[in-house]
Amino acid sequence: GGLLIGAGVHLADLALLPALTGPCAAIGMAAGSIAGPGHRALATVGGNLCLDTRCVFYNQSHWWRAANNYCLKLDGATCHVVKKGEKCVAAYSGDLAPALLVLGAEVEIATPAGRRREALAGLFREDGQNWLELGPADLLVAVHVPPPSGVRSGYLKSRIRQSMDFPLAGVAAALRREGDAIASLAVAITGTNSRPILLEGLDELHGSRLDERALDALGKAVARGIKPMRTTSVPSLYRRHMAGEHKQIRTLRL
């Protein structure tokens, strides 16, 4: 009852899979929100998961970067976001990762020594310069999603141009309820850190009603769990607010 998704599957095809409704709806919603239709027709699952990190000081033309003395991510010796910073804070902006994280996905990686499977979270580092835990000869070949256990899921993101932009903040959630109570809850965020974040500390909400009080507590947990920096054209505080805004996390009510 689980899913096996090849790394070469095109995002346009993934977004239309009949299986990606109900428990796995977050995957289809994330795939359908990536870039524009032309991009999704060519872009792949593996490509989006391994997407390069982004920063306003890096994603510019060569002459622009040269005029600003480059940056730590490429050819420079300093981070322009964190002055005198010794670590790149460029933001990871893949949409599929949070949707897969909340559903407990694993990745299958081919190496010269054979294949291995590991939790998706282990694929990423909190390092904008070296954001993947892949060796030079490693290849991401598939994603395994375990059988969903009565959950419902969703994904929403905030972006400047709704037709095609990368997420300023994207939130995926998977919820299982027992009556009116929260039985299990997983929330993951993209676009704010150098890796997708699977939120911790949500156990305290288990057993409580999914009401405004719980949503407020969840919004505060999101704000505590992420660390947006000045890597985009909008202020970092705006991205923190949008990640925890009720409009984003009301996908839990699906």
Side-chain angles (χ1 to χ4, degrees):
L3 293 172
L4 170 61
I5 306 171
V9 171
H10 291 123
L11 299 178
D13 296 329
L14 183 66
L16 297 176
L17 280 181
L20 298 184
T21 58
C24 296
I27 302 174
M29 293 172 71
S33 73
I34 296 169
H39 303 102
R40 293 193 293 272
L42 298 175
T44 64
V45 170
N48 191 256
L49 286 176
C50 297
L51 188 69
D52 196 358
T53 54
R54 299 179 59 78
C55 178
V56 69
F57 293 100
Y58 170 69
N59 295 104
Q60 301 286 349
S61 64
H62 175 78
W63 69 263
W64 190 97
R65 286 185 281 115
N68 287 276
N69 297 319
Y70 300 98
C71 71
L72 193 61
K73 186 169 172 65
L74 181 66
D75 296 335
T78 186
C79 175
H80 297 304
V81 176
V82 182
K83 300 301 181 182
K84 298 183 180 180
E86 298 180 353
K87 188 175 181 180
C88 176
V89 296
Y92 176 82
S93 301
D95 290 281
L96 284 180
L100 291 166
L101 282 171
V102 297
L103 295 172
E106 295 183 337
V107 288
E108 184 177 343
I109 298 170
T111 75
R115 295 198 178 194
R116 72 174 189 268
R117 279 178 60 173
E118 61 184 35
L120 174 60
L123 181 65
F124 305 103
R125 298 174 184 161
E126 187 64 59
D127 184 343
Q129 196 171 13
N130 300 291
W131 67 100
L132 294 175
E133 292 283 0
L134 289 177
D138 292 352
L139 179 67
L140 174 64
V141 295
V143 179
H144 297 261
V145 182
S149 55
V151 303
R152 304 202 67 174
S153 68
Y155 175 76
L156 288 174
K157 66 179 177 180
S158 174
R159 47 184 169 174
I160 296 175
R161 295 171 294 182
Q162 293 300 313
S163 61
M164 61 178 290
D165 270 350
F166 291 93
L168 300 172
V171 180
L175 170 72
R176 184 170 61 87
R177 302 170 76 168
E178 291 180 354
D180 292 332
I182 299 172
S184 66
L185 174 63
V187 175
I189 300 109
T190 187
T192 60
N193 291 56
S194 293
R195 63 182 175 91
I197 301 295
L198 184 61
L199 209 61
E200 298 179 352
L202 299 183
D203 292 350
E204 62 187 36
L205 293 177
H206 294 177
S208 62
R209 292 174 56 87
L210 184 59
D211 52 19
E212 292 299 320
R213 183 176 180 180
L215 288 172
D216 284 337
L218 178 56
K220 292 176 181 177
V222 170
R224 291 194 302 268
I226 60 177
K227 191 177 181 181
M229 306 292 284
R230 191 170 55 92
T231 55
T232 72
S233 57
V234 299
S236 56
L237 287 178
Y238 174 83
R239 291 156 66 202
R240 184 186 298 275
H241 172 75
M242 289 306 298
E245 218 280 326
H246 281 186
K247 181 180 177 182
Q248 294 284 71
I249 57 180
R250 284 189 192 280
T251 182
L252 292 170
R253 291 195 182 278
L254 294 175

